[in-house]
């Protein structure tokens, strides 16, 4: 249910006349201001008004380190059910109103940036390549996480997840028109 908001925002963006400058700037400004405003409000609520204590109350058996990791990196397991204090957290994958608003704002900001980058199509070529094989890259991402070893540094996980899809898409599309999953699941009539 929480993701329906993103679908509605996407439908709204799809109705904008993006060939004109004002809607492009509107996306950029709205996205940036939403991220800044919501992040600030969440930080104020967490650091003032006993927000941190309310968050820790939602995790009765958690250490300070576990509570901090929840706020910064998101949940390591199920979301808490003890109290509602954790709802002021803006951390990733927490599905709080703050997290969802930041995700929506960041999405709008990125769309605005990518539209501006459209003036230089070579900058977007790697993303276009990845967009031609999304199912393959998504399934590969899931398989990667089932075999990834514990203890690998987060920075290496980021580097692999950032650069591998770009390289795989470029190399694959040199020999084929679409990704292997899409090619095997597309039927002609």
């Amino acid at each position: 249910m929480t993701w329906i908001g993103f679908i509605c925002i996407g439908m709204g963006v799809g109705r904008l006349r993006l060939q004109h400058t004002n809607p492009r700037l509107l996306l950029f400004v709205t996205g940036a201001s939403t991220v800044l405003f919501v992040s600030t409000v969440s930080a104020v609520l967490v650091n003032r008004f006993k927000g941190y204590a309310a968050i820790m109350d939602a995790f009765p058996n958690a250490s300070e380190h576990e509570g901090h990791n929840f706020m910064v990196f998101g949940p390591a397991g199920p979301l808490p059910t003890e109290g509602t204090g954790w709802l002021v957290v803006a951390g990733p994958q927490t599905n709080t109103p703050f997290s969802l608003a930041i995700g929506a704002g960041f999405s709008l900001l990125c769309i605005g940036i990518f539209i501006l980058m459209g003036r230089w199509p070579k900058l977007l070529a790697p993303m276009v390549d990845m967009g031609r094989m999304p199912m393959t890259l998504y399934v590969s991402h899931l398989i990667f996480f089932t075999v990834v070893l514990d203890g690998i540094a987060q920075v290496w996980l980021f580097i692999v997840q950032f650069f591998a899809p770009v390289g795989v898409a470029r190399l694959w599309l040199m020999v084929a028109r679409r990704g292997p999953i899409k090619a095997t699941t597309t039927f002609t009539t």
Side-chain angles (χ1 to χ4, degrees):
M1 286 302 288
T2 56
W3 299 104
I4 195 71
F6 291 104
I7 293 170
C8 293
I9 291 170
M11 290 169 45
V13 169
R15 292 186 172 267
L16 293 175
R17 296 178 186 261
L18 296 175
Q19 66 271 23
H20 302 295
T21 304
N22 286 344
R24 294 177 191 174
L25 291 175
L26 179 68
L27 286 174
F28 185 84
V29 170
T30 301
S33 60
T34 299
V35 169
L36 182 63
F37 177 74
V38 173
S39 298
T40 302
V41 170
S42 175
V44 168
L45 290 173
V46 168
N47 296 315
R48 306 273 190 249
F49 310 112
K50 300 181 183 179
Y52 186 81
I55 293 166
M56 291 308 294
D57 287 345
F59 297 94
N61 298 323
S63 68
E64 291 276 330
H65 180 71
E66 291 169 329
H68 174 74
N69 281 348
F70 173 76
M71 288 183 265
V72 175
F73 302 112
L79 292 170
T81 57
E82 302 283 328
T84 58
W86 64 278
L87 290 172
V88 299
V89 173
Q93 304 300 323
T94 55
N95 288 338
T96 65
F98 293 95
S99 174
L100 296 172
I102 289 172
F106 189 72
S107 297
L108 293 174
L109 176 63
C110 288
I111 291 169
I113 289 170
F114 292 138
I115 289 172
L116 292 173
M117 287 174 62
R119 295 178 182 183
W120 305 281
K122 290 190 182 214
L123 287 175
L124 292 176
M127 295 184 78
V128 170
D129 289 345
M130 291 187 301
R132 290 178 57 197
M133 50 188 299
M135 286 297 288
T136 298
L137 294 177
Y138 181 68
V139 170
S140 300
H141 179 77
L142 295 176
I143 292 170
F144 173 75
F145 270 107
T146 61
V147 297
V148 70
L149 303 173
D150 289 336
I152 294 178
Q154 296 293 321
V155 69
W156 285 111
L157 286 175
F158 172 77
I159 289 170
V160 168
Q161 290 180 82
F162 186 81
F163 289 107
V166 172
V168 166
R170 169 69 7 220
L171 292 173
W172 182 267
L173 293 173
M174 287 179 173
V175 296
R177 285 185 24 201
R178 52 186 143 172
I181 292 179
K182 183 76 170 177
T184 60
T185 59
T186 303
F187 300 103
T188 57
T189 55

